[in-house]
Amino acid sequence: MTTRLIDEGLFADVDPPRLVGARCAGCGTVVFPRQDSCPRCSGGTMSEHPLPVAGRVWSWTRQAFAPKPPYRMPADGHQPYHVGYVDLGEVLVEARLAVSRPDIRIGLPVRLTTVPAYQDEDGTEVLTFAFRPDPEGQR
């Protein structure tokens, strides 16, 4: 099956996946996704900044109903999933959490991965970023 990323601009690398944000040269603020101006000081130049691949669940919820557009419904209909914020140290990233209900918790060590988001009309599987449990992250 052919695959593609939902937005290549979100990634610094694909294999293994790594997200890319931006860092302000003036105050050091890190953001994701990338943006052209700093939300903290408005004065610094923003430069590309690869993000850590591992972090911890900061907060989470269950997405039980289909989101509003531009969400694209999978062929088999909406299946509930977890979303939340992942603390990567320098920045909180909102993401899908590929974690089962019994295992999810605040503070859970997680690692970046990709998961199917939907299929294009031509059958291409479109992948988005997510975080899965990271057994090596237990401290």
Side-chain angles (χ1 to χ4, degrees):
M1 174 177 281
T2 305
T3 62
R4 72 171 178 85
L5 297 172
I6 198 160
D7 182 345
E8 290 184 17
L10 298 174
F11 295 85
D13 294 305
V14 178
D15 191 20
R18 185 158 192 177
L19 298 175
V20 64
R23 177 186 294 278
C24 176
C27 70
T29 296
V30 175
V31 297
F32 177 82
R34 287 182 278 185
Q35 57 189 56
D36 295 330
S37 63
C38 180
R40 176 170 278 158
C41 74
S42 302
T45 301
M46 301 297 283
S47 60
E48 192 172 285
H49 181 71
L51 300 179
V53 296
R56 292 187 176 270
V57 173
W58 187 78
S59 181
W60 65 274
T61 191
R62 183 172 184 254
Q63 181 68 45
F65 56 88
K68 296 177 184 174
Y71 175 78
R72 291 180 57 182
M73 186 80 66
D76 58 350
H78 176 75
Q79 300 299 317
Y81 56 88
H82 296 115
V83 293
Y85 288 104
V86 174
D87 185 347
L88 297 178
E90 301 175 303
V91 66
L92 292 176
V93 171
E94 183 179 0
R96 189 162 177 174
L97 301 172
V99 181
S100 67
R101 175 60 189 105
D103 296 331
I104 198 161
R105 62 181 166 76
I106 292 173
L108 177 72
V110 290
R111 178 166 291 277
L112 185 66
T113 190
T114 56
V115 296
Y118 57 88
Q119 271 192 357
D120 276 341
E121 294 75 24
D122 67 0
T124 300
E125 187 172 59
V126 179
L127 304 175
T128 191
F129 65 92
F131 287 86
R132 61 174 167 72
D134 182 6
E136 295 179 16
Q138 300 291 344
R139 295 183 217 165

